[in-house]
Amino acid sequence: MEKQEANSKLLQARKMYGRLLLFPLPAQGHINPMLQLANILYSKGFNITIIHTSFNFPNKSNYPHFTFEAIPEESLTGFPTRQGSVTKIVLLNKVCFDPFRDCVKRLLSNSSADDRIFCLITDALLYFTKDVADLLKLPRIVLRTSSLSAFHVYYLYPILLQKGYLSVKDSNSEAPVSEAEPLKVKDIPQTYQIEGEDLGMMIAEMMTGTKAASAILWNTFEELEQSVLPTIQQNFPIPSFTIGPFHKYFTASASSLLEQDKTAISWLDMQAPLSVLYVSFGSLAAIDKTEFFEMAWALANSKQKFLWVVRPGVIRGSEWLEPFPDGLQEAVSERGHIVKWAPQQEVLAHPATACFWSHCGWNSTLESICEGVPIICSPSFGDQPTNARYVEAVWKVGLVLENGIKREEIERAIRRVMIDQEGKEMRMRMSCLKKKVNLCLMEGGSSYKSLEGLVNFILSL
Ligand code: UDX
């Protein structure tokens, strides 16, 4: 009865609130935090409309409490699927302008006084939404899904460019970047060399779009990134809310674009505590066949149990596991379990999981921190090298494979983290971070207070 009353009070309170329009970048690592944020804000009393592209959108049946609005498919005709991620993002910002503007315009004209639209919340990489918001005189809040530290590197980009860090011939340079300690030159996003001027342009537009927003939301927590937070706040003098980690409120499973193979968990259930290495490189990173063989040999030779996510397409030029040479698959199968996509949060929270060999996407990094699992880092592009460097040099909860994917180095790293005293110390430091996560989300904690601040801020718009 008490609960019923509480629920009906919540509903009454919800009636007083209005609606938020959320637009995620259509990629797994961006959809997850945006949909988690949507659930958080819904639970605080806001109605939610998710605007999405006709590709890469979450299963609507997992979100019966939200309204979904698709950008019409025909407006994205010809949108390339083969270009690099940066070029795709730049193009997306061009082709979405008209249909997004029309969609928001229609939603505004159909909205009623008791369900008024407070604002847009859009991914920082969808910088074109600034002009739409200005045109329609609608406040716009930006969600940046990466770490503060990685954003800081992008903020420094013009200086780094000017100082010549981005035209270094040796892209594997170990030289320190004094403007962004403890990063090395090789940690600065290398995509610049691959996708020409698009990266520089995308970063500049993202910075302009973020500066012009009404506020910035971060999927991180104050205690984790204290060293850069003041600098960001100083350079972006708009309200800034660190309310993460989002997935601690609502999991990533509901917004998974691929089906999660539950055998990952039943297999883990049969393993001893802290005995399994979990391997996954997220939704975008790719490796070539040689790297795949090196990974497979390293795992087989490590003599450790492992759960390996081999996402279809992760091996360039292959559908799935067909590059396995004779004999190696058997060697791997003895100790490991391979799946196409796993329920990652459940895997990391499982007592059998001892270590995560990761590409260090920000969601994966945060998910590992929240479960106290040390990380072996194989960063690939964008924010990943920064996250990896922080894992090793700032939080000291893992180590970076400095020379790409080479079996001897991987075997050594697995031993250091899973067997040696060094690994035990990393685990202890991870446990401290895990405790800090739990504290920041409790009443009075930093993320808890920041979320309260965000709700009040939106209500004031
Ligand atoms: C991308 C970028 O690569 C990343 O660097 C950036 O921070 C966000 O966008 P992605 O590569 O997919 O993301 O990595 P990550 O940020 O780690 O996100 C992957 C998400 O997929 C995580 O939430 C993870 O839980 C989920 N996942 C991953 C699964 O559900 N199952 C899997 O098997 C692997």
Side-chain angles (χ1 to χ4, degrees):
M1 190 61 197
E2 253 174 43
K3 196 164 179 203
Q4 258 179 3
E5 264 173 35
N7 277 346
S8 94
K9 269 191 192 151
L10 185 68
L11 281 176
Q12 279 165 20
R14 287 179 44 76
K15 272 199 170 167
M16 289 164 55
Y17 291 9
R19 183 167 292 274
L20 307 172
L21 309 182
L22 276 62
F23 188 25
L25 186 83
Q28 184 73 78
H30 293 254
I31 289 172
N32 284 356
M34 186 65 94
L35 270 288
Q36 287 153 0
L37 175 68
N39 263 335
I40 294 168
L41 292 171
Y42 178 84
S43 76
K44 290 289 169 194
F46 294 99
N47 294 329
I48 301 290
T49 296
I50 304 286
I51 303 176
H52 62 87
T53 52
S54 47
F55 56 92
N56 284 2
F57 58 89
N59 184 345
K60 295 177 192 172
S61 63
N62 291 337
Y63 299 94
H65 46 309
F66 296 167
T67 304
F68 284 84
E69 288 285 337
I71 299 280
E73 193 157 3
E74 56 277 15
S75 54
L76 299 175
T77 310
F79 184 72
T81 50
R82 292 196 175 274
Q83 247 97 357
S85 315
V86 171
T87 306
K88 267 193 214 161
I89 292 170
V90 170
L91 276 168
L92 199 62
N93 273 282
K94 288 186 183 142
V95 296
C96 280
F97 185 92
D98 287 346
F100 181 76
R101 177 203 53 209
D102 295 347
C103 174
V104 176
K105 215 171 172 178
R106 179 169 46 76
L107 294 173
L108 281 172
S109 61
N110 291 346
S111 71
S112 56
D114 62 351
D115 192 15
R116 86 167 169 98
I117 295 170
F118 279 97
C119 64
L120 281 169
I121 301 183
T122 62
D123 193 294
L125 284 172
L126 293 169
Y127 45 80
F128 81 93
T129 57
K130 170 195 170 296
D131 290 342
V132 174
D134 289 348
L135 192 76
L136 301 176
K137 301 197 176 9
L138 188 60
R140 166 176 156 272
I141 295 176
V142 150
L143 168 64
R144 181 61 188 145
T145 58
S146 76
S147 61
L148 279 161
S149 323
F151 186 80
H152 185 227
V153 173
Y154 286 147
Y155 169 71
L156 293 174
Y157 224 68
I159 299 172
L160 301 179
L161 188 61
Q162 200 185 13
K163 294 213 166 171
Y165 287 118
L166 304 170
S167 49
V168 176
K169 285 217 173 61
D170 175 12
S171 61
N172 227 9
S173 167
E174 297 279 334
V177 178
S178 56
E179 292 77 4
E181 281 178 344
L183 298 194
K184 301 179 179 185
V185 169
K186 68 180 190 182
D187 302 329
I188 307 296
Q190 297 296 321
T191 332
Y192 187 73
Q193 288 153 6
I194 302 166
E195 294 186 60
E197 292 181 351
D198 278 349
L199 180 66
M201 203 258 274
M202 181 187 82
I203 291 172
E205 294 276 13
M206 174 171 75
M207 290 301 151
T208 311
T210 302
K211 273 207 170 122
S214 302
I216 324 178
L217 308 184
W218 303 96
N219 184 15
T220 188
F221 59 105
E222 238 175 77
E223 291 78 356
L224 188 67
E225 299 202 80
Q226 250 153 3
S227 57
V228 278
L229 186 58
T231 318
I232 298 284
Q233 283 171 333
Q234 201 181 342
N235 291 301
F236 291 78
I238 51 175
S240 182
F241 300 96
T242 46
I243 59 174
F246 295 177
H247 74 276
K248 289 295 281 181
Y249 306 79
F250 294 97
T251 77
S253 294
S255 53
S256 188
L257 299 173
L258 297 172
E259 195 182 337
Q260 297 179 323
D261 185 340
K262 298 281 182 195
T263 65
I265 303 301
S266 45
W267 183 83
L268 282 174
D269 286 343
M270 294 185 296
Q271 311 307 322
L274 295 181
S275 66
V276 174
L277 169 68
Y278 170 57
V279 187
S280 172
F281 287 178
S283 67
L284 294 172
I287 51 174
D288 57 32
K289 278 186 195 152
T290 317
E291 290 172 317
F292 175 66
F293 295 156
E294 290 297 298
M295 285 180 86
W297 279 118
L299 289 170
N301 294 344
S302 76
K303 306 280 180 257
Q304 303 299 313
K305 295 278 185 154
F306 58 87
L307 171 65
W308 188 5
V309 175
V310 183
R311 192 188 77 240
V314 74
I315 310 165
R316 290 186 196 97
S318 308
E319 292 286 318
W320 194 38
L321 289 176
E322 61 282 7
F324 256 130
D326 286 345
L328 184 55
Q329 185 151 20
E330 288 68 42
V332 164
S333 326
E334 265 177 41
R335 310 205 138 258
H337 184 57
I338 297 181
V339 294
K340 290 181 174 171
W341 195 243
Q344 180 162 301
Q345 275 177 248
E346 280 176 68
V347 168
L348 289 168
H350 197 285
T353 304
C355 175
F356 184 7
W357 179 10
S358 170
H359 70 311
C360 288
W362 185 236
N363 296 289
S364 293
T365 307
L366 263 186
E367 288 162 15
S368 210
I369 287 174
C370 289
E371 300 307 334
V373 179
I375 309 173
I376 295 173
C377 311
S378 279
S380 178
F381 60 85
D383 58 337
Q384 297 159 17
T386 302
N387 300 337
R389 191 62 60 202
Y390 271 68
V391 163
E392 184 185 82
V394 178
W395 306 313
K396 299 183 170 47
V397 292
L399 45 89
V400 180
L401 296 175
E402 298 286 358
N403 302 298
I405 298 185
K406 304 271 164 48
R407 72 182 84 172
E408 290 81 13
E409 190 184 356
I410 302 166
E411 282 172 49
R412 263 197 312 278
I414 295 176
R415 241 190 339 270
R416 283 173 66 189
V417 181
M418 292 193 59
I419 298 167
D420 293 355
Q421 178 60 24
E422 197 186 354
K424 294 190 177 77
E425 286 161 14
M426 288 175 192
R427 175 169 298 282
M428 273 169 54
R429 285 190 284 271
M430 262 300 196
S431 301
C432 290
L433 284 183
K434 183 178 170 178
K435 281 188 197 133
K436 284 186 182 170
V437 171
N438 294 333
L439 283 175
C440 81
L441 296 169
M442 282 165 63
E443 193 169 345
S446 62
S447 294
Y448 180 97
K449 285 199 283 197
S450 198
L451 178 56
E452 281 187 332
L454 171 64
V455 171
N456 290 330
F457 176 77
I458 295 174
L459 290 175
S460 74
L461 290 172

